[in-house]
Amino acid sequence: MTVVTTFFAEHAWLDGGVTPNTRITVHSGRIAAVQASGPQRGDLPLPGLVLPGLANTHSHAFHRALRGRTHAAAGTFWTWRERMYAVAARLDPDSYFALARATYCEMALAGVTAVGEFHYLHHAPDGRPYRDPNIMGHALRAAAREAGIRLTLLDACYLTGGIGQPLEGPARRFGDGTVSAWAERVAALGADDLSLVGAAIHSVRAVPRDALPEVVEAAGGRPLHLHLSEQPAENEQCLAAYDVTPTQLLALAPPSQREAYRSPLAMVEGYTESAHSYGAFGKHSDRSTILWHCLQERLTENVAPPKCG
Ligand SMILES: [Zn+2]
């Protein structure tokens, strides 16, 4: 049975800007109509200005536990990451759920109604899958549901601890070993009526160059995000290993490699969204690539707002 609720907004932010006298009809939780109208009997009044829900396109819910604890002394991305790994090492499905629920509730109270969760804390502390290998993703879904916020679960492929380096310590929780194992696990997430399943390449230091096309193919046209270029050392390591920057690796591969990079090339030029993009601007950025910064964290080497030329 469809439940119909009507609201009357004194002022609403519509396509044309702030508009007075707007009536909003909701069918079972979904907006069915927005009309210019005075109040009618039974309308629920919405005083002040009504805004559309905001979207937080890049979240690491568990990083919320770091806020206010990583800036007392000068540090780097890498010292920040040590603190992040310490949190990652302690979480289990229950505490992950509780932390994510609190984080999503904060977002909802701030007007955020949809979140893209860049999810890589997949497995048990020793790196082995839980009995349900998607239990941490399910915890995020449950947290979003209880907070009343829509979720796109951007499940991240994370294979290496650096270019040519194995995963070690808490980072073992992130990895599935191979792209096919990652894709098989993500496929098992299944449908959910309040969330979408997307995909992510954690970064070029976490997914080897040769594996990038396989990840893109497995994503199959779903939302695909990545950390394009998180900080200077990553750029230098990418240059040393591949003789190109992370952005070039995805977008400007040499002609001999274009076929292998066909999918990532399309990805960058098409619909990729990237975060933490240190040094990704200028001639190598593309106007169809969306760049944003994470609100939960505040990286010590990456706090300046981007300047897009
Ligand atoms: Zn991030």
Side-chain angles (χ1 to χ4, degrees), residues 13-31:
W13 186 284
L14 303 180
D15 289 343
V18 176
T19 305
N21 297 332
T22 299
R23 197 159 181 267
I24 303 164
T25 303
V26 175
H27 289 179
S28 298
R30 293 180 181 273
I31 293 175

Side-chain angles (χ1 to χ4, degrees), residues 84-97:
M84 185 269 282
Y85 276 13
V87 174
R90 294 178 55 188
L91 292 169
D92 60 27
D94 289 340
S95 55
Y96 197 43
F97 163 76

Side-chain angles (χ1 to χ4, degrees), residues 58 60 227 276 297:
H58 189 74
H60 303 288
H227 296 142
H276 311 174
E297 58 202 284

Side-chain angles (χ1 to χ4, degrees), residues 254-274:
S256 61
Q257 299 176 0
R258 283 282 167 83
E259 184 58 28
Y261 283 84
R262 183 168 51 82
S263 294
L265 181 65
M267 178 184 73
V268 167
E269 292 182 341
Y271 52 83
T272 306
E273 300 185 9
S274 71

Side-chain angles (χ1 to χ4, degrees), residues 62 65-66 69 79-91 170-171 173-174:
F62 79 92
L66 295 168
R69 300 200 299 115
T79 57
W80 167 86
R81 197 178 71 162
E82 288 176 12
R83 304 292 295 273
M84 185 269 282
Y85 276 13
V87 174
R90 294 178 55 188
L91 292 169
R173 305 191 69 173
F174 309 158

Side-chain angles (χ1 to χ4, degrees), residues 10-142:
E10 289 181 343
H11 296 87
W13 186 284
L14 303 180
D15 289 343
V18 176
T19 305
N21 297 332
T22 299
R23 197 159 181 267
I24 303 164
T25 303
V26 175
H27 289 179
S28 298
R30 293 180 181 273
I31 293 175
V34 178
Q35 301 162 301
S37 171
Q40 297 185 22
R41 186 183 179 90
D43 286 353
L44 297 174
L46 297 173
L49 175 62
V50 176
L51 300 175
L54 304 176
N56 178 355
T57 59
H58 189 74
S59 163
H60 303 288
F62 79 92
H63 291 195
R64 178 64 181 86
L66 295 168
R67 190 185 296 171
R69 300 200 299 115
T70 58
H71 304 92
T76 67
F77 170 86
W78 306 104
T79 57
W80 167 86
R81 197 178 71 162
E82 288 176 12
R83 304 292 295 273
M84 185 269 282
Y85 276 13
V87 174
R90 294 178 55 188
L91 292 169
D92 60 27
D94 289 340
S95 55
Y96 197 43
F97 163 76
L99 184 50
R101 182 177 58 180
T103 304
Y104 295 155
C105 283
E106 282 188 334
M107 291 183 198
L109 289 170
V112 174
T113 57
V115 59
E117 176 68 29
F118 198 106
H119 169 52
Y120 55 84
L121 188 55
H122 298 124
H123 302 301
D126 62 1
R128 284 187 288 189
Y130 288 104
R131 185 186 301 270
D132 176 350
N134 280 312
I135 194 169
M136 298 295 260
H138 293 318
L140 293 170
R141 279 176 154 177

Side-chain angles (χ1 to χ4, degrees), residues 79 86 152 158 200 215 238 248 256:
T79 57
T152 297
Y158 201 129
V215 176
C238 188
Q248 290 170 321
S256 61

